[in-house]
C-alpha cells in the first residue's frame, strides 16, 4: 500500500502527465529529464546543459566605441537624448552567432500492445530521494516505474517492473529535437544518438556543439529484439534503461565517454545505482527542511492542492513544498561538478523558450542572479561552484577584452546577456543592451559566498581577483559630472524601463540609480576584502575617494525612490523591473532600521508600480522580486500575498512557476527564477543577517503561525534550527 501523502517533500498525482508542464523534473546538474509518467506511452524528455548552438567570438565588440562613448556622454550631459540615441545604435554589440541551449530529445517507452483501462494510477516525485515513481494496475497486473538521474555515475536510470513474471514488454526509441539528430542500434545492442546544436534563430545553423548519447536496456528474463532505430523488450520480468549524454563542449571524446559511463553503470545492480544516487542527492536535499504546519491537504494530489488555493483556500503545506521544491531544482540543475551554471530554464528546456527573443541564456540584469539567490542561506553553498567557474574562466577573460576594446577601460565588464561562451559585449538592442554593470552584479555572488562561509582562501584566490577587476572597470568607466561633481556611469540604463522627455521615450542616460548602487556595492566590497587580506591599500583609498563622489539616493516628487538621477517620468510606470530597489534587496544599502526614510521611499516605488491592482505585469520573477522586497521591508503579509498570487496565477501542476501566456502560445514559458526567487524570499521572511546581526522570523505572515526550519544559514557561518508556535519562537537550540 503506497502512502498518498504529499507533505513538504513529496508531490503526487493520480493521473498521467499529458504535457511538458505536467512532467516531473529530474537532474544531476548536467543531464536534465522531464518525466511525463504515462502508462501506455511514457515520454522522458532529455536535456544536456552544454548542448549549445553558437560559438565564442571576439568580434561582438565595436572597435570605434571608445570615441563614440565620449560623444554620447556629451549629448547626455547636454540633455540631447535624441542625438545620444542615434549614436547609441552604433555601440550596440554584434549578435553574430550568439546561440542558445537546445533540447536534446524525447526517449519513448511504448507499451502500446496493452488494451483496456488502467486503475489505481499514481505518480510522484520524492524530493528527498530525487526519484520519480509511477505505479498502476492493468489486467490484474501491477506495473512500477522508477526514474532518477545519477550524479555519481552521470547517467539517467529507468526501471520498469511487472509484478507478474514475463509480462513486461515495450518498444524504446528516441526522437531528437532537431533535424541533425540521428539514432541507430549498434553492434552492442545499444541505441546510439548523435547530432549537433544547429537550427535555431540565435544561431547561423553552422556552428554549435556536437552531442553523443547511448541508451542500453538490461532485462531480467525475456529478450531484446533490435530494430534499425529502436529496441523491443519482450517477455521480461523487469528492465533497466541506462542513458548517457555528452557533448564536446568540455569533453574531447564524447562518444567514448558515453560508452564508458554506460559500461561502468551496467556493471552495478539497479539497487546499487539507486542507493548511491539517494545517498548523494539526499546529502544536499536533507541539510535543510522547512515545515509550515501540517495542513489538511497533505493527502490531496498536488494538482488539486493548487486548484484549491486558486479557489481561495490556504495551504501552508503547499507553501513549504514550493520552498523545498526551489531547493530541489537548484540541486538538480547546478552541482559542484556541473560544467555550466543555470541558464534561464535551469537545465530543463521545453523547446519554446530557446525560440523566444530572450532565449535560454544567462541574463545578467536579474535572472541569473535570482537563480542563485537562495543557495547560501538554503545550505547549498557548493551549488554556486559552476557559476563561479563560468565567471572566472569564461566571463572575465571575455569581459577584459570587451572592457579594453569597447570602452578603453581596465578590468572586465559584462552586459545584459551572456551565454555558454561568456559573451560580454553590449546587447544588440539600444534600448536594453547598453548596460555594462552585469559583470559587477554577478561578481557580488562571490563575496556573498565568503560572507556565509568565511573561506579566506576562496576570497584571496578566487573571489578577490574577480571583484577587483570589476571595480577597476567601474573606476575607469565612471565620468565626472562637471556641474555637480558626481561620478556617473553612462551611457547606461535602468533595466528595462525608459523615461519620457517631451513625450518621447528614451532609455540611455547618465547615472541611473541601478548603476550607482552597483558601483557603491563593488567599491565597498573591495575595500572590505582588501582590509581582510591586508593588500591593495592604495587601491582601497582610490575606491573610498570614488565612493564619496557617487550621488546619494534621491526621493522623487511622488515620494518614490528615484529610478534615475533626474526625477524623470517613467514611460511604463508599472514596469516589472523595479531593479533600482536592489539597494533594498539583495544588498542592504537601504534598510528599515538604518534608513527608514529611504525604506519608505522604496515602498512607495513598489506601491506606484503595483497600483492600481492588475497594472503590474504578473511575471514569475517579477512576483519573486515583490516577495523579496516586502520580506526586507519586514512586511510578511504583503510578501505572502504575492506568493499566493504566484501560486494562483502562474504555477502549473508540476509546480513550475512560469511567465503568463504570451500571444500565440497555449501555455506560459518556464523560467527557473520564479521558483528560486520564491525560495529566496521565504528565506528572508524567516531569517535575515544582512545588518551584522541575525534576526529570526523578521517577516512571518499571519498564515504561517506555526512551523519549524532546520539547517537555515546566516552570514558569519551560522547554521540554525528553530521552531515557532503562535508566531513566537518556541525552541532555539
Amino acid at each position: 500500500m503506497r502512502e498518498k501523502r504529499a507533505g513538504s517533500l513529496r508531490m503526487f498525482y493520480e493521473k498521467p502527465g499529458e504535457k511538458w508542464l505536467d512532467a516531473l523534473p529530474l537532474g544531476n546538474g548536467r543531464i536534465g529529464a522531464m518525466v511525463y509518467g504515462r502508462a501506455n506511452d511514457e515520454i522522458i524528455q532529455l536535456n544536456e546543459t552544454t548542448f549549445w548552438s553558437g560559438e565564442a567570438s571576439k568580434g561582438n565588440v565595436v572597435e570605434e566605441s571608445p570615441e563614440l562613448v565620449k560623444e554620447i556622454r556629451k549629448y547626455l550631459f547636454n540633455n540631447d537624448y535624441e542625438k545620444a540615441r542615434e549614436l547609441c545604435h552604433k555601440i550596440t554589440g554584434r549578435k553574430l552567432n550568439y546561440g542558445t541551449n537546445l533540447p536534446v530529445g524525447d526517449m519513448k517507452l511504448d507499451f502500446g500492445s496493452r488494451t483496456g483501462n488502467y486503475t489505481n494510477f499514481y505518480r510522484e516525485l520524492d524530493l528527498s530521494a530525487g526519484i520519480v515513481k509511477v505505479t498502476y494496475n492493468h489486467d490484474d497486473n501491477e506495473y512500477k516505474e522508477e526514474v532518477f538521474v545519477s550524479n555519481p555515475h552521470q547517467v539517467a536510470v529507468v526501471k520498469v517492473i511487472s509484478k507478474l513474471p514475463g509480462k513486461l514488454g515495450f518498444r524504446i526509441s528516441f526522437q531528437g529535437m532537431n533535424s541533425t539528430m540521428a539514432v541507430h542500434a549498434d553492434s552492442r545492442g545499444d541505441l546510439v544518438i548523435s547530432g549537433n546544436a544547429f537550427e535555431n534563430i540565435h544561431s547561423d545553423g553552422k556552428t554549435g556543439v556536437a552531442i553523443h548519447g547511448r541508451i542500453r536496456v538490461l532485462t531480467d528474463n525475456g529478450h531484446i529484439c533490435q530494430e534499425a532505430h529502436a529496441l523491443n523488450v519482450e517477455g521480461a520480468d523487469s528492465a533497466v534503461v541506462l542513458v548517457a549524454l555528452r557533448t564536446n563542449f568540455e569533453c574531447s571524446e564524447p562518444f567514448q565517454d558515453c560508452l564508458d559511463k554506460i559500461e561502468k553503470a551496467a556493471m552495478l545492480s539497479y539497487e546499487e545505482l539507486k542507493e548511491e544516487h539517494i545517498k548523494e542527492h539526499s546529502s544536499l536535499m536533507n541539510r535543510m527542511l522547512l515545515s509550515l504546519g501540517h495542513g489538511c491537504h497533505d493527502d490531496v494530489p498536488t494538482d488539486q492542492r493548487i486548484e484549491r488555493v486558486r479557489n481561495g483556500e490556504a495551504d501552508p503545506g503547499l507553501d513549504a513544498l514550493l520552498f523545498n521544491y526551489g531547493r530541489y531544482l537548484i540541486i538538480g540543475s547546478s552541482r559542484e561538478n556541473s560544467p555550466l551554471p543555470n541558464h534561464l530554464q535551469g537545465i530543463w528546456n521545453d523547446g519554446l523558450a530557446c525560440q523566444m527573443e530572450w532565449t535560454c541564456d544567462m541574463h545578467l540584469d536579474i535572472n541569473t542572479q535570482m537563480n542563485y539567490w537562495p543557495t547560501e542561506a538554503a545550505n547549498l553553498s557548493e551549488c554556486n561552484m559552476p557559476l563561479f567557474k563560468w565567471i572566472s574562466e569564461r566571463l572575465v577573460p571575455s569581459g577584459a577584452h570587451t572592457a579594453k576594446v569597447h570602452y578603453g577601460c581596465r578590468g572586465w565588464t559584462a552586459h545584459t546577456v551572456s551565454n555558454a561562451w561568456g559573451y560580454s559585449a553590449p546587447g544588440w538592442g539600444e534600448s536594453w543592451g547598453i548596460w555594462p554593470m552585469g559583470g559587477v552584479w554577478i561578481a557580488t555572488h562571490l563575496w556573498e559566498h565568503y560572507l556565509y562561509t568565511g573561506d579566506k582562501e576562496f576570497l584571496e584566490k578566487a573571489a578577490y581577483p574577480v571583484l577587483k577587476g570589476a571595480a577597476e572597470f567601474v573606476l575607469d568607466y565612471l565620468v565626472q559630472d562637471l556641474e555637480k561633481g558626481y561620478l556617473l556611469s553612462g551611457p547606461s540604463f535602468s533595466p528595462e524601463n525608459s523615461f519620457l522627455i517631451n513625450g518621447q521615450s528614451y532609455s540611455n542616460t547618465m547615472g541611473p540609480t541601478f548603476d550607482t548602487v552597483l558601483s557603491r556595492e563593488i567599491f565597498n566590497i573591495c575595500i572590505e576584502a582588501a582590509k581582510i587580506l591586508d593588500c591593495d591599500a592604495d587601491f582601497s583609498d582610490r575606491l573610498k575617494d570614488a565612493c564619496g563622489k557617487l550621488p546619494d539616493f534621491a526621493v522623487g516628487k511622488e515620494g518614490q525612490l528615484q529610478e534615475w538621477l533626474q526625477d524623470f517620468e517613467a514611460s511604463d510606470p508599472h514596469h516589472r523591473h523595479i531593479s533600482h530597489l536592489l539597494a533594498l534587496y539583495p544588498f542592504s544599502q537601504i534598510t528599515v532600521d538604518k534608513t527608514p526614510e529611504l525604506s519608505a521611499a522604496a515602498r512607495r516605488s513598489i506601491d506606484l508600480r503595483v497600483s492600481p491592482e492588475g497594472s503590474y505585469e504578473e511575471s514569475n520573477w517579477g512576483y519573486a522580486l515583490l516577495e523579496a522586497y516586502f520580506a526586507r521591508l519586514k512586511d510578511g503579509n504583503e510578501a505572502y500575498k504575492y506568493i499566493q498570487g504566484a501560486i494562483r496565477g502562474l504555477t502549473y501542476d508540476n509546480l513550475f512557476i512560469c511567465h503568463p501566456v504570451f500571444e500565440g502560445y497555449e501555455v506560459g514559458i518556464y523560467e527557473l527564477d520564479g521558483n528560486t526567487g520564491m525560495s529566496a524570499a521565504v528565506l528572508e521572511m524567516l531569517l535575515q543577517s544582512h545588518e551584522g546581526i541575525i534576526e529570526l522570523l523578521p517577516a512571518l505572515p499571519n498564515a504561517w503561525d506555526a512551523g519549524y526550519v532546520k539547517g537555515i544559514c546566516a552570514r558569519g557561518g551560522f547554521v540554525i534550527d528553530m521552531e515557532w508556535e503562535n508566531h513566537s519562537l518556541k525552541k532555539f537550540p
Side-chain angles (χ1 to χ4, degrees), residues 297 306-315 640 644 648:
H297 302 318
I306 297 170
E307 189 60 34
R308 291 187 181 194
V309 172
R310 290 186 186 126
N311 292 330
E313 293 189 36
D315 188 349
Y640 177 77
Q644 297 307 293
R648 293 187 180 112

Side-chain angles (χ1 to χ4, degrees), residues 6 11-13 15 21-22 24 123 297-298 300-315 317-319 321-322 325 643-657 675:
M11 303 150 57
F12 81 91
Y13 309 82
K15 61 182 181 180
L21 285 170
D22 295 331
L24 300 175
R123 66 185 176 111
H297 302 318
D298 282 357
V300 176
T302 304
D303 52 333
Q304 295 179 30
R305 297 180 79 179
I306 297 170
E307 189 60 34
R308 291 187 181 194
V309 172
R310 290 186 186 126
N311 292 330
E313 293 189 36
D315 188 349
L318 182 62
D319 303 335
L321 177 60
L322 264 167
Y325 190 57
I643 289 174
Q644 297 307 293
I647 296 173
R648 293 187 180 112
L650 301 171
T651 302
Y652 284 75
D653 286 353
N654 67 352
L655 296 187
F656 276 179
I657 304 175
N675 289 97

